[in-house]
Amino acid sequence: MHTFLLFAAAFGASTVEMVEALTIVLAVAVTRGWRSAAAGVVAALAGLAVIVAAFGPALASLPISTLRLAVGTILLVFGLQWLRKAILRAGGLKALHDEDAIFAAEVGLMRAGPGGSTSDRPAHDWYAFTVAFKGVFLEGLEVAFIVVTFGGTQHNVGLAAAAAAAALVVVSLVGVVVHAPLSRVPENTLKFAVGVMLSSFGIFWAGEGAGVSWPGSDASLLGVIAFVLVCSFGLVALLRRSGRTTRIAVA
């Protein structure tokens, strides 16, 4: 069960980052051409593979208790940030993430950039290459962080890497099929779920690293997830209720 949850959390978090990266790549490819965009993607993936290969084995050599405390704390910080934004969106206090709007904005930037018109575009579009590389590399760094930290805490970087690879395949196939921003992917819901998972893993691993003996061992992780989920839904309900009260009072 713990292995499945680890795979699911790494897969979900990686999917969120890859959807955002794919939106940028599609905008570049549609407006500037696929060749330069594809070259930027390949270069970024190669750089990310080197990072994971370099840092993954190094983490595996660290004491497991120290590693779990450090990584658990980091995951809790990141998870709570994701969860906070997701709760605000679900509660109606923050605009929902709109991949269509992001895609349109990226297209506008591409057309406004150097060589935006086909008449003065060079054979190899370095502007398109750079934007695609940056988008994939920056989002990919977060995926690499997820792979290294998730896998390192369990001395199973391979499992986390497999989850990220599965997410890459799924997102890439969907991108090829729809050839448009992945607006049908319920990213706001996915981010909410990933925020819950990251926060739960952070609490669980930080507790283990600090010497906490969880009842039922790994099975107690399900209880932590349920606790975080209930608290999150409670906060969403509270925000929605306070928002309705405010609107009624203003009316």
Side-chain angles (χ1 to χ4, degrees):
M1 177 61 71
H2 190 258
T3 299
F4 171 76
L5 290 174
L6 173 63
F7 184 93
F11 178 86
S14 299
T15 299
V16 170
E17 303 301 337
M18 290 176 184
V19 166
E20 296 180 359
L22 181 59
T23 301
I24 296 173
V25 172
L26 286 174
V28 173
V30 167
T31 56
R32 312 280 300 206
W34 285 96
R35 180 178 296 180
S36 298
V41 171
V42 171
L45 291 177
L48 292 168
V50 172
I51 291 176
V52 173
F55 289 99
L59 279 181
S61 64
L62 295 176
I64 189 64
S65 59
T66 302
L67 184 61
R68 284 179 176 172
L69 178 59
V71 172
T73 301
I74 294 172
L75 286 181
L76 184 57
V77 171
F78 276 94
L80 289 177
Q81 288 179 345
W82 279 38
L83 193 54
R84 171 182 170 274
K85 292 179 180 179
I87 289 173
L88 290 175
R89 288 190 178 104
L93 298 183
K94 186 178 178 66
L96 295 178
H97 194 82
D98 188 347
E99 288 296 333
D100 283 328
I102 295 174
F103 181 80
E106 291 291 341
V107 168
L109 288 175
M110 290 299 99
R111 289 174 175 166
S117 62
T118 55
S119 59
D120 57 354
R121 190 174 300 164
H124 182 77
D125 192 341
W126 286 105
Y127 183 75
F129 174 91
T130 302
V131 173
F133 175 88
K134 182 180 69 173
V136 173
F137 190 77
L138 292 180
E139 299 295 343
L141 276 179
E142 297 194 35
V143 175
F145 174 81
I146 292 166
V147 169
V148 171
T149 53
F150 273 54
T153 53
Q154 302 301 305
H155 283 180
N156 197 349
V157 174
L159 178 64
L168 175 62
V169 171
V170 170
V171 173
S172 298
L173 288 176
V174 173
V176 169
V177 171
V178 300
H179 198 174
L182 303 182
S183 55
R184 293 186 178 181
V185 175
E187 187 174 351
N188 295 290
T189 301
L190 187 59
K191 284 186 174 181
F192 191 101
V194 170
V196 170
M197 296 292 284
L198 291 181
S199 300
S200 301
F201 272 103
I203 293 172
F204 185 80
W205 285 339
E208 278 193 333
V212 173
S213 180
W214 294 100
S217 188
D218 289 348
S220 61
L221 178 59
L222 294 175
V224 176
I225 293 173
F227 172 77
V228 174
L229 193 59
V230 168
C231 291
S232 300
F233 281 142
L235 288 172
V236 170
L238 184 62
L239 290 175
R240 288 180 176 176
R241 181 177 179 182
S242 63
R244 286 196 298 268
T245 303
T246 301
R247 287 193 292 269
I248 292 173
V250 171

